[in-house]
Short mmCIF file of all heavy atoms in Angstrom, two decimals:
data_model
loop_
_atom_site.label_atom_id
_atom_site.label_comp_id
_atom_site.label_asym_id
_atom_site.label_seq_id
_atom_site.Cartn_x
_atom_site.Cartn_y
_atom_site.Cartn_z
N SER A 14 0.83 17.31 4.25
CA SER A 14 1.33 18.47 5.04
C SER A 14 0.20 18.95 5.91
O SER A 14 -0.95 18.52 5.74
CB SER A 14 1.84 19.55 4.16
OG SER A 14 0.74 20.20 3.59
N ASP A 49 -15.63 -1.70 9.92
CA ASP A 49 -14.61 -2.18 9.02
C ASP A 49 -13.38 -1.35 9.11
O ASP A 49 -12.25 -1.89 9.07
CB ASP A 49 -15.12 -2.20 7.58
CG ASP A 49 -16.17 -3.26 7.36
OD1 ASP A 49 -16.09 -4.28 8.16
OD2 ASP A 49 -17.03 -3.10 6.50
N PRO A 98 -5.07 16.52 27.15
CA PRO A 98 -4.57 15.13 27.21
C PRO A 98 -5.31 14.21 28.23
O PRO A 98 -4.67 13.75 29.13
CB PRO A 98 -3.12 15.29 27.48
CG PRO A 98 -3.03 16.58 28.26
CD PRO A 98 -4.10 17.46 27.74
N ALA A 102 -13.57 7.03 30.07
CA ALA A 102 -14.47 5.91 29.69
C ALA A 102 -15.88 6.21 30.09
O ALA A 102 -16.11 6.46 31.26
CB ALA A 102 -13.95 4.62 30.34
N VAL A 120 -16.95 3.46 26.16
CA VAL A 120 -16.02 3.89 25.12
C VAL A 120 -15.14 5.02 25.69
O VAL A 120 -15.64 5.88 26.41
CB VAL A 120 -16.77 4.29 23.81
CG1 VAL A 120 -17.74 5.47 24.08
CG2 VAL A 120 -15.73 4.71 22.73
N GLY A 138 -15.68 14.89 9.55
CA GLY A 138 -17.09 15.04 9.86
C GLY A 138 -17.61 13.88 10.73
O GLY A 138 -18.83 13.72 10.92
N PRO A 140 -16.44 11.32 14.45
CA PRO A 140 -15.45 11.08 15.45
C PRO A 140 -14.40 10.10 14.91
O PRO A 140 -14.69 9.23 14.09
CB PRO A 140 -16.24 10.46 16.61
CG PRO A 140 -17.52 9.98 16.02
CD PRO A 140 -17.78 10.82 14.82
N ARG A 194 -11.32 6.97 38.73
CA ARG A 194 -10.21 6.01 38.88
C ARG A 194 -9.28 6.20 37.67
O ARG A 194 -9.72 6.15 36.51
CB ARG A 194 -10.73 4.58 38.95
CG ARG A 194 -9.55 3.64 39.16
CD ARG A 194 -9.97 2.18 39.09
NE ARG A 194 -10.72 1.78 40.23
CZ ARG A 194 -11.68 0.89 40.24
NH1 ARG A 194 -12.01 0.30 39.12
NH2 ARG A 194 -12.33 0.54 41.34
N PRO A 198 -1.96 6.82 33.93
CA PRO A 198 -1.59 8.20 34.26
C PRO A 198 -1.06 8.94 33.08
O PRO A 198 -0.54 8.32 32.13
CB PRO A 198 -0.46 8.03 35.32
CG PRO A 198 0.13 6.71 35.01
CD PRO A 198 -0.97 5.84 34.41
N ALA A 212 -9.50 15.19 46.57
CA ALA A 212 -8.50 14.15 46.62
C ALA A 212 -9.16 12.81 47.05
O ALA A 212 -8.76 11.76 46.56
CB ALA A 212 -7.39 14.52 47.57
N PRO A 234 -7.91 -3.10 29.23
CA PRO A 234 -7.33 -4.23 28.52
C PRO A 234 -5.84 -4.01 28.14
O PRO A 234 -5.05 -4.93 28.19
CB PRO A 234 -8.20 -4.38 27.30
CG PRO A 234 -9.54 -3.82 27.68
CD PRO A 234 -9.16 -2.65 28.62
N PRO A 243 11.75 -1.58 23.88
CA PRO A 243 12.73 -1.88 22.85
C PRO A 243 13.12 -3.33 22.93
O PRO A 243 12.73 -4.02 23.83
CB PRO A 243 13.90 -0.95 23.20
CG PRO A 243 13.70 -0.56 24.65
CD PRO A 243 12.28 -0.86 25.01
N ASN A 254 18.93 11.54 42.60
CA ASN A 254 19.64 11.76 41.31
C ASN A 254 21.01 11.14 41.28
O ASN A 254 21.39 10.30 40.39
CB ASN A 254 19.69 13.25 40.99
CG ASN A 254 19.88 13.51 39.51
OD1 ASN A 254 19.71 12.63 38.68
ND2 ASN A 254 20.33 14.72 39.19
N ASP A 256 22.40 9.01 43.39
CA ASP A 256 22.34 7.58 43.63
C ASP A 256 22.09 6.77 42.38
O ASP A 256 22.71 5.76 42.08
CB ASP A 256 21.31 7.23 44.69
CG ASP A 256 21.62 7.81 46.09
OD1 ASP A 256 22.78 8.30 46.28
OD2 ASP A 256 20.76 7.79 46.96
N ARG A 259 25.12 6.73 40.04
CA ARG A 259 26.15 5.76 40.41
C ARG A 259 25.68 4.34 40.17
O ARG A 259 26.45 3.52 39.72
CB ARG A 259 26.52 5.95 41.90
CG ARG A 259 27.29 7.22 42.23
CD ARG A 259 27.87 7.14 43.61
NE ARG A 259 26.94 6.56 44.55
CZ ARG A 259 26.03 7.25 45.24
NH1 ARG A 259 25.99 8.55 45.13
NH2 ARG A 259 25.19 6.64 46.04
N ARG A 262 25.94 3.74 36.51
CA ARG A 262 27.38 3.69 36.19
C ARG A 262 27.97 2.31 36.51
O ARG A 262 28.66 1.71 35.70
CB ARG A 262 28.09 4.77 37.01
CG ARG A 262 29.58 4.89 36.80
CD ARG A 262 30.09 5.98 37.73
NE ARG A 262 31.43 5.82 38.04
CZ ARG A 262 32.44 6.28 37.25
NH1 ARG A 262 32.18 6.92 36.14
NH2 ARG A 262 33.69 6.09 37.61
N LEU A 310 17.14 3.58 21.15
CA LEU A 310 17.96 2.46 21.65
C LEU A 310 17.40 1.10 21.22
O LEU A 310 17.95 0.06 21.64
CB LEU A 310 18.11 2.55 23.20
CG LEU A 310 18.83 3.80 23.66
CD1 LEU A 310 18.87 3.84 25.17
CD2 LEU A 310 20.25 3.87 23.11
N CYS A 322 14.56 6.27 36.60
CA CYS A 322 13.08 6.30 36.69
C CYS A 322 12.69 7.43 37.69
O CYS A 322 13.19 7.44 38.82
CB CYS A 322 12.55 4.99 37.21
SG CYS A 322 10.80 4.82 37.23
N GLY A 357 46.95 1.28 45.35
CA GLY A 357 48.18 1.97 44.95
C GLY A 357 49.42 1.16 45.16
O GLY A 357 49.39 0.05 45.66
N ALA A 396 36.92 -24.06 54.20
CA ALA A 396 36.62 -25.36 53.64
C ALA A 396 37.14 -25.43 52.23
O ALA A 396 37.72 -26.48 51.82
CB ALA A 396 35.11 -25.59 53.72
N PHE A 402 44.12 -26.93 49.03
CA PHE A 402 45.49 -27.07 49.59
C PHE A 402 45.48 -27.89 50.88
O PHE A 402 45.77 -27.35 51.96
CB PHE A 402 46.05 -25.64 49.86
CG PHE A 402 46.09 -24.71 48.69
CD1 PHE A 402 45.09 -23.76 48.54
CD2 PHE A 402 47.10 -24.87 47.73
CE1 PHE A 402 45.16 -22.85 47.47
CE2 PHE A 402 47.11 -24.00 46.63
CZ PHE A 402 46.13 -23.02 46.48
N GLU A 428 47.81 -18.37 41.81
CA GLU A 428 46.59 -18.11 41.04
C GLU A 428 45.40 -18.94 41.58
O GLU A 428 44.29 -18.43 41.67
CB GLU A 428 46.84 -18.42 39.55
CG GLU A 428 46.57 -17.27 38.61
CD GLU A 428 47.08 -17.57 37.25
OE1 GLU A 428 46.44 -18.39 36.59
OE2 GLU A 428 48.12 -17.02 36.80
N GLU A 466 42.78 -6.78 41.05
CA GLU A 466 43.07 -8.21 40.89
C GLU A 466 41.96 -9.05 41.58
O GLU A 466 41.61 -10.12 41.09
CB GLU A 466 44.41 -8.53 41.52
CG GLU A 466 45.60 -7.78 40.90
CD GLU A 466 45.83 -6.41 41.50
OE1 GLU A 466 44.87 -5.74 41.88
OE2 GLU A 466 47.01 -6.01 41.59
N CYS A 473 32.71 -0.96 43.47
CA CYS A 473 33.03 0.46 43.73
C CYS A 473 32.37 1.41 42.73
O CYS A 473 32.15 1.01 41.61
CB CYS A 473 34.55 0.69 43.69
SG CYS A 473 35.45 -0.24 44.91
N PRO A 483 59.64 6.30 42.19
CA PRO A 483 60.33 5.16 42.80
C PRO A 483 61.30 5.51 43.96
O PRO A 483 61.32 4.83 44.92
CB PRO A 483 61.08 4.56 41.59
CG PRO A 483 60.25 4.98 40.40
CD PRO A 483 59.67 6.28 40.73
N LEU A 503 63.73 -4.03 45.29
CA LEU A 503 63.21 -5.33 44.84
C LEU A 503 61.71 -5.42 45.07
O LEU A 503 60.98 -5.90 44.21
CB LEU A 503 63.95 -6.40 45.65
CG LEU A 503 64.16 -7.79 45.00
CD1 LEU A 503 65.06 -7.68 43.78
CD2 LEU A 503 64.69 -8.79 46.00
N LYS A 517 43.83 2.42 35.28
CA LYS A 517 42.66 1.80 35.75
C LYS A 517 41.81 2.66 36.65
O LYS A 517 40.59 2.48 36.74
CB LYS A 517 43.00 0.53 36.54
CG LYS A 517 43.44 -0.66 35.68
CD LYS A 517 43.66 -1.87 36.55
CE LYS A 517 43.94 -3.14 35.75
NZ LYS A 517 42.87 -3.59 34.92
#
Side-chain angles (χ1 to χ4, degrees):
S14 74
D49 288 334
V120 58
R194 182 185 288 148
N254 202 16
D256 293 349
R259 289 193 318 271
R262 180 182 156 85
L310 296 177
C322 187
F402 302 103
E428 237 169 71
E466 299 87 326
C473 297
L503 208 66
K517 286 184 174 295

